[in-house]
Amino acid sequence: MPSRQLACYGASGMDREARMRRLLIIGIGAGDPDHMTVQSIKALNRADVVFLPDKGEEKAALRHLREQICARFIEKPYRTVTVGTPQRAAAGSDYSGVVDDWHARIAANYERLFREELAEGQYGALLVWGDPALYDSTLRIVERIRDTGLALDWEVIPGISSVQVLAARHKIALNRIGEPVMITTGRKLAAGFPAGQDSVVVMLDGEQAFARIAPEDIDIYWGAYLGTPDEILIAGRLVDVAGQIMRVRASARETHGWIMDIYLLRRSKPAP
Ligand SMILES: C[S@@+](CC[C@H](N)C(=O)[O-])C[C@H]1O[C@@H](n2cnc3c(N)ncnc32)[C@H](O)[C@@H]1O
């Protein structure tokens, strides 16, 4: 744990403290600069260097949002460093192995940049989409870098996630009274509507897995580009609106060159 490193005492502990590079891992919300919390803005203003990922295509728009956030909220001189993100190999049957290898390459990139661009004792900011705790690898990657021996400590500042924005924009509660909510991926949903669940939020679905499950008695609340001027919302019985969502999604993806979407599936009647 990073806090254990801070609890070192004595001369060598103080030496390590002074040599520490520090990261502020800041949740920036899911697409609207107004999602930035007061805590996120304060953290951003403590950074000496802001590391901005460059993920190519999709992602020029997402990079633009991060730059807008810096320009709007940072009230002192700051430096930005662009971080190239390596491509992930196709997952095939070894999903965990492929992701592990990808994370190792990302971590190596960041480690080099932290050594070169962040002086000992300085603060670097990483602007994480939505909330850092939800389907984001940043925390796992910084742990990996710390484990290589770099003196690194970090704070995590929570952000508004796309899950919360989806619920707010559709004006719904995520759970039925006293019932759980499952958050999963399109990849997992492809195996069918999870047994025993009532309300299931699906993220990271590039394959429209909702169209491959039995649609009877399921409602869907779908949202794309949430929080941005291009936001699209569709809700209804899955059997009625699945085709419409597929068409709207394909056309929006064509227009923008990328898409981010998320949805809640809910059994029309509570599970017995
Ligand atoms: C890598 S995950 C990042 C999640 C992020 N940490 C969060 O808290 O929302 C990316 C997935 O989040 C969802 N997502 C993030 N932002 C979104 C947005 N503005 N509109 C719709 N879905 C979004 C999509 O399901 C997308 O595939």
Side-chain angles (χ1 to χ4, degrees):
M1 297 291 291
S3 49
R4 259 187 283 146
Q5 293 188 336
L6 281 179
C8 299
Y9 298 106
S12 66
M14 284 166 65
D15 185 43
R16 186 171 172 80
E17 278 282 285
R19 287 192 296 109
M20 194 77 80
R21 291 169 170 86
R22 296 166 202 283
L23 299 176
L24 300 156
I25 299 174
I26 304 174
I28 59 168
D32 182 344
D34 283 1
H35 291 166
M36 286 286 288
T37 64
V38 174
Q39 199 180 26
S40 298
I41 295 169
K42 283 185 179 167
L44 202 48
N45 277 282
R46 287 162 58 207
D48 300 291
V49 182
V50 181
F51 292 90
L52 295 173
D54 186 358
K55 299 185 184 170
E57 0 88 45
E58 136 185 39
K59 315 267 184 153
L62 308 193
R63 181 182 165 121
H64 179 64
L65 183 90
R66 287 187 171 88
E67 287 168 347
Q68 253 184 299
I69 283 175
C70 292
R72 175 166 157 196
F73 294 114
I74 304 183
E75 294 176 333
K76 59 164 200 148
Y78 64 98
R79 203 158 62 80
T80 59
V81 170
T82 301
V83 188
T85 308
Q87 282 285 329
R88 199 183 79 184
S93 55
D94 182 18
Y95 182 75
S96 312
V98 166
V99 171
D100 189 59
D101 168 66
W102 184 50
H103 284 178
R105 285 183 290 132
I106 296 175
N109 236 358
Y110 269 104
E111 182 186 350
R112 180 178 55 76
L113 288 172
F114 292 158
R115 287 185 190 278
E116 290 174 1
E117 303 284 353
L118 195 62
E120 292 174 352
Q122 279 196 323
Y123 280 88
L126 301 180
L127 277 52
V128 176
W129 198 262
D131 183 80
L134 194 60
Y135 288 110
D136 187 276
S137 329
T138 308
L139 296 175
R140 277 181 280 269
I141 285 167
V142 294
E143 277 181 17
R144 230 180 159 121
I145 298 171
R146 192 260 325 274
D147 291 347
T148 65
L150 186 69
L152 196 62
D153 189 23
W154 56 90
E155 292 169 41
V156 180
I157 293 92
I160 294 178
S161 79
S162 52
V163 177
Q164 293 160 280
V165 183
L166 177 76
R169 300 298 292 131
H170 280 290
K171 306 179 189 178
I172 51 168
L174 289 173
N175 62 294
R176 283 212 165 92
I177 297 174
E179 295 299 326
V181 183
M182 174 184 267
I183 302 179
T184 188
T185 64
R187 197 181 151 79
K188 294 283 184 193
L189 184 74
F193 194 96
Q197 299 294 326
D198 226 20
S199 303
V200 178
V201 176
V202 184
M203 305 173 72
L204 290 162
D205 184 4
E207 307 290 331
Q208 296 88 74
F210 61 81
R212 281 185 270 138
I213 59 171
E216 292 77 28
D217 298 328
I218 292 180
D219 296 328
I220 184 167
Y221 299 85
W222 179 82
Y225 312 104
L226 292 167
T228 78
D230 300 313
E231 181 175 281
I232 312 169
L233 299 171
I234 297 176
R237 296 180 63 222
L238 185 56
V239 73
D240 296 332
V241 298
Q244 182 195 358
I245 294 174
M246 299 277 278
R247 284 190 300 279
V248 169
R249 189 185 188 284
S251 147
R253 191 171 194 282
E254 172 88 23
T255 305
H256 300 290
W258 64 281
I259 189 160
M260 263 201 196
D261 61 335
I262 181 170
Y263 49 92
L264 171 73
L265 296 176
R266 169 168 291 155
R267 293 190 191 282
S268 313
K269 297 185 201 93

